[in-house]
Amino acid sequence: MRILTSLLIVCFLASCGAKKTSSSDKERKISVAAANKARTGSVITPAKIEERRATTYKNHSKADEIINTALSFSGTRYKFGGTTKKGMDCSGLLYISFGEHDVQLPRTSIHMAEEGHRVTVKNVEKGDLLFFKTTRGSKRINHVGMVVGTDNDEITFIHASTSRGVTVSSLKDGFWNQAFVKATRIL
């Protein structure tokens, strides 16, 4: 019984929660300019998913392949601990997307944050992971997303939010900007 209780507590603490923003939140500014536009490519929006799926590129990078896998889950509802089209959480989305391309990641966002090497926001590239603390006052990372584009000084990332499911968001958004902790490179 103790083990089950401990496991539930650990799962709860590692969950991918999100919070509503309020007008009293202080907005933190983060520069999101890409280091090299030719290297990072353009923003991939949900509207382009079908177009990208239908086109086969011979020179796709591993990051592009992983991004396309993650984008195939767009619209999937949020489910704590989920890893299927029936429902998934943020770390489940990336665990499956990277795993389908033979890149093994830990299952939880807090453990994913220990992998790879840290990169500055101005140097992020497609496929890099972004980590967040979405609970006010929290000392632990509890949310993760993957960069899908860096264009026009805007970083977009795919993740699974509790309110919108698997979706693409911008790091310029006040909530995500404020909750941002660090970026890491796995590939």
Side-chain angles (χ1 to χ4, degrees):
M1 189 65 176
R2 270 187 162 165
I3 294 173
L4 179 60
T5 304
S6 297
L7 181 60
L8 288 172
I9 290 171
V10 168
C11 289
F12 177 76
L13 291 174
S15 71
C16 302
K19 73 169 187 97
K20 304 275 187 212
T21 58
S22 69
S23 59
S24 66
D25 289 341
K26 290 172 70 175
E27 187 169 331
R28 183 175 65 159
K29 300 292 181 191
I30 295 176
S31 171
V32 293
N36 179 343
K37 299 249 189 283
R39 179 181 72 213
T40 57
S42 62
V43 173
I44 300 170
T45 62
K48 295 181 184 177
I49 295 170
E50 286 303 318
E51 178 183 329
R52 288 191 62 112
R53 270 194 220 138
T55 307
T56 303
Y57 294 101
K58 291 181 181 175
N59 295 326
H60 260 193
S61 69
K62 186 164 269 213
D64 288 323
E65 293 171 3
I66 294 168
I67 288 167
N68 286 335
T69 299
L71 287 170
S72 72
F73 291 101
S74 288
T76 300
R77 72 179 183 88
Y78 178 87
K79 180 180 180 188
F80 177 76
T83 57
T84 68
K85 284 226 180 218
K86 289 183 177 183
M88 58 180 30
D89 62 15
C90 63
S91 56
L93 170 67
L94 299 183
Y95 177 79
I96 294 299
S97 298
F98 277 81
E100 285 189 17
H101 299 280
D102 300 320
V103 178
Q104 298 306 310
L105 289 177
R107 177 58 186 88
T108 63
S109 57
I110 188 74
H111 291 110
M112 283 182 191
E114 298 168 355
E115 299 294 316
H117 65 276
R118 196 171 189 149
V119 292
T120 61
V121 173
K122 69 179 183 178
N123 291 319
V124 297
E125 298 177 1
K126 295 188 310 183
D128 288 346
L129 301 182
L130 303 177
F131 294 94
F132 304 89
K133 292 179 185 173
T134 61
T135 305
R136 185 182 305 233
S138 174
K139 295 181 181 179
R140 292 178 51 134
I141 288 170
N142 65 345
H143 192 73
V144 61
M146 177 177 51
V147 175
V148 295
T150 56
D151 195 28
N152 298 326
D153 294 335
E154 181 176 20
I155 295 172
T156 53
F157 61 99
I158 190 163
H159 62 116
S161 78
T162 54
S163 60
R164 298 175 62 202
V166 177
T167 188
V168 175
S169 298
S170 171
L171 194 56
K172 281 188 173 182
D173 176 275
F175 173 73
W176 296 115
N177 185 283
Q178 186 173 357
F180 177 77
V181 175
K182 72 176 186 172
T184 63
R185 183 158 301 142
I186 300 294
L187 302 174

